[in-house]
Amino acid sequence: MGLISLLQTEAEKRGLLPADTAVDAATAFRLVRDMPYIRASSRAPETILREWRGTCSGKHYLLQALFAEMGITSRLIACTAVTEIDPQTLPPDLRAIMEAGNGRFVDVHNYLILELPDGEMVVDATWPLSAQGTGLVVNDSFVLGEDQQIACIPLQTWVVPADQDPQAFKDYLLTTHFTDAELATREAFILAMGEIFQATDSN
């Protein structure tokens, strides 16, 4: 089964797509974007689909593969980012993590650049529509040819080499650009965010 067929099956099973609906690029983006921001057991596209969850890496590995099945070529991008977060703006669990990390959240973020006949297009499906109003960057529409907003402010940017494992490349960038303490804060923050989305998704 191809990834588009699996996306249709999993979306229909969850009541997110009417039966026999054709999946175009905009539909694929919407479905992947609105997956809960929760780390899956692996970042393999099939796992992201079956578990219906993912963070920026897993969502964009999947989306790149889905677009490829549609004949749309894209480049996977990785960028370093440092976000200063006021702990007082966060729920208690996240607040404690950010206070311990001095309000500094580091990451290597993934997004896509589509290579379209009329030019390039930035695509970022990281945050679901349910995150609107939280201060996170949510791209609420998908129009081919219109750049979306990147979910962070990139510091340094790389095209992930097509002949390398994208997760190994991301892990390399994380360990060479950030300290162990910063990475520990990042890990705790991502896991706590996942728990929040898990609770929201269960309600």
Side-chain angles (χ1 to χ4, degrees), residues 44-196:
E46 294 83 357
T47 303
I48 299 296
L49 284 172
R50 290 196 169 94
E51 296 184 6
W52 206 257
R53 60 184 60 189
T55 55
C56 73
S57 51
K59 285 188 177 188
H60 289 99
Y61 302 165
L62 167 60
L63 205 52
Q64 183 178 43
L66 288 167
F67 286 147
E69 282 194 15
M70 298 175 189
I72 301 174
T73 302
S74 63
R75 302 194 302 278
L76 178 65
I77 306 300
C79 66
T80 51
V82 177
T83 306
E84 301 292 337
I85 301 173
D86 179 359
Q88 298 309 310
T89 65
L90 300 172
D93 290 349
L94 294 177
R95 184 184 309 149
I97 294 168
M98 280 295 99
E99 286 174 344
N102 297 314
R104 180 180 165 92
F105 178 76
V106 305
D107 199 11
V108 170
H109 180 65
N110 289 118
Y111 62 96
L112 297 178
I113 295 180
L114 305 192
E115 299 173 353
L116 303 173
D118 295 328
E120 298 181 339
M121 174 187 174
V122 172
V123 173
D124 196 315
T126 301
W127 297 111
L129 205 59
S130 62
Q132 279 186 322
T134 63
L136 298 169
V137 174
V138 178
N139 289 299
D140 59 5
S141 65
F142 180 98
V143 179
L144 277 175
E146 293 186 7
D147 281 341
Q148 296 184 334
Q149 189 174 351
I150 301 170
C152 67
I153 299 175
L155 298 178
Q156 291 180 269
T157 301
W158 297 262
V159 176
V160 178
D163 61 350
Q164 291 190 30
D165 176 77
Q167 194 58 40
F169 186 77
K170 177 168 182 164
D171 291 342
Y172 169 77
L173 294 178
L174 283 166
T175 57
T176 54
H177 286 78
F178 303 115
T179 68
D180 290 345
E182 288 173 328
L183 295 178
T185 297
R186 170 186 177 271
E187 182 70 10
F189 190 84
I190 290 173
L191 292 176
M193 284 287 289
E195 290 177 2
I196 290 173

